[in-house]
Amino acid sequence: MSRSRILLVEDEPNIARGLIFNLEEEGYAVTHASTGEEALKASKRGGYALVVLDLMLPGIDGLEVCRRLRREDPRIPILILTALSEERDRIRGLAEGADDYLTKPFSLEEFLLRIAGMLRRSQWYRSEGPSGRLRFGDNEVDLDSGMAMTPQGEFSLTELEMKMLRTFAGREGEVLSRAELLSEIWGISPDTETRTLDNFIVRMRKYFEHDPSEPRHFLTVRGKGYRFLG
Ligand code: CA
């Protein structure tokens, strides 16, 4: 497996050095930018799995960098770094599309855990998805080809079915609201009244449940949404 590349945008040399060292120790490849301009230039090359972005930068500031990165790539996870006194910036950063934040000073352990978690979640959201096989119950789905192998036989899943499966599997055990699922999978406004979602769940149960009327994997959480158990 190739190493995940992280774009680290941090102007303070000492902090940058420490973070790079620890990220590399964890097996990540790191590209370092010390100004907003450098960050935007580096981001054009693409191929990053995640961006760590200090908000207080000389020149183009972190908020503007965040806004532009998000415009270029709606999916890349962005972790912003702020000082305790910059609460307003932190909130604005989240509004500009950052996924999470850490307040300086933070522990390296928390930093690394945060990054690992963000990468794990983002893998499932990417439309190209993770490679490999997803196994649950007596089912196996090839996440590259979309081929499903179930006790009923072998068949290929549609793009939307794959997307639903990835969304569920990436957040196994969590209750996903109808609104979340609709916007995550179909990209439509949660206000839209639609039976599409329910029809898809019915279909998933038909494919993968031993007894669709007694589901063990695609569960209804009354009044809330749905939950996937592997
Ligand atoms: Ca700074």
Side-chain angles (χ1 to χ4, degrees), residues 4-230:
S4 298
R5 178 163 289 279
I6 291 174
L7 175 58
L8 171 69
V9 190
E10 170 61 74
D11 61 312
E12 285 151 82
N14 286 334
I15 296 180
R17 209 172 298 132
L19 297 182
I20 292 167
F21 177 81
N22 281 278
L23 287 169
E24 288 181 342
E25 283 282 287
E26 287 293 304
Y28 300 114
V30 182
T31 297
H32 175 220
S34 49
T35 65
E37 285 82 351
E38 274 180 40
L40 293 171
K41 214 160 116 193
S43 81
K44 293 268 184 287
R45 287 198 298 271
Y48 301 102
L50 181 143
V51 179
V52 178
L53 175 62
D54 181 33
L55 283 189
M56 286 287 274
L57 295 170
I60 301 179
D61 73 359
L63 285 172
E64 180 60 24
V65 173
C66 187
R67 186 177 310 137
R68 294 201 205 169
L69 289 177
R70 185 49 80 222
R71 206 185 304 146
E72 272 170 28
D73 185 343
R75 289 206 181 94
I76 191 163
I78 302 176
L79 174 66
I80 52 178
L81 308 179
T82 64
L84 200 54
S85 57
E86 297 164 7
E87 198 199 343
R88 259 189 38 224
D89 284 350
R90 184 170 80 212
I91 292 165
R92 285 177 58 202
L94 293 173
E96 294 297 350
D99 299 283
D100 207 347
Y101 68 89
L102 272 178
T103 305
K104 289 178 177 176
F106 46 80
S107 81
L108 274 168
E109 196 184 354
E110 184 175 12
F111 174 73
L112 295 171
L113 282 173
R114 203 66 77 84
I115 285 179
M118 289 172 81
L119 285 172
R120 202 167 49 236
R121 286 192 298 276
S122 84
Q123 254 197 345
W124 291 101
Y125 297 147
R126 301 215 153 240
S127 56
E128 58 269 33
S131 52
R133 284 163 191 278
L134 174 68
R135 293 189 182 85
F136 58 102
D138 298 323
N139 310 290
E140 190 171 323
V141 178
D142 185 321
L143 293 170
D144 297 316
S145 65
M147 283 306 290
M149 279 144 281
T150 76
Q152 305 175 55
E154 200 173 308
F155 53 91
S156 72
L157 295 165
T158 68
E159 199 50 49
L160 275 174
E161 289 165 350
M162 288 284 284
K163 220 165 164 182
M164 171 174 271
L165 212 46
R166 288 193 195 107
T167 303
F168 271 123
R171 296 175 63 185
E172 195 186 329
E174 285 179 48
V175 178
L176 300 178
S177 70
R178 297 178 55 84
E180 248 175 305
L181 287 165
L182 284 170
S183 76
E184 197 78 62
I185 298 165
W186 283 272
I188 55 177
S189 141
D191 310 325
T192 319
E193 261 309 315
T194 173
R195 299 290 298 165
T196 312
L197 174 59
D198 308 276
N199 292 336
F200 259 76
I201 297 283
V202 168
R203 214 190 298 172
M204 288 291 174
R205 285 176 180 159
K206 248 185 235 158
Y207 289 160
F208 299 115
E209 297 284 0
H210 184 67
D211 176 0
S213 64
E214 297 270 332
R216 290 170 50 200
H217 302 295
F218 297 90
L219 309 180
T220 302
V221 183
R222 210 158 289 285
K224 295 214 172 94
Y226 293 101
R227 190 153 69 108
F228 172 75
L229 292 178

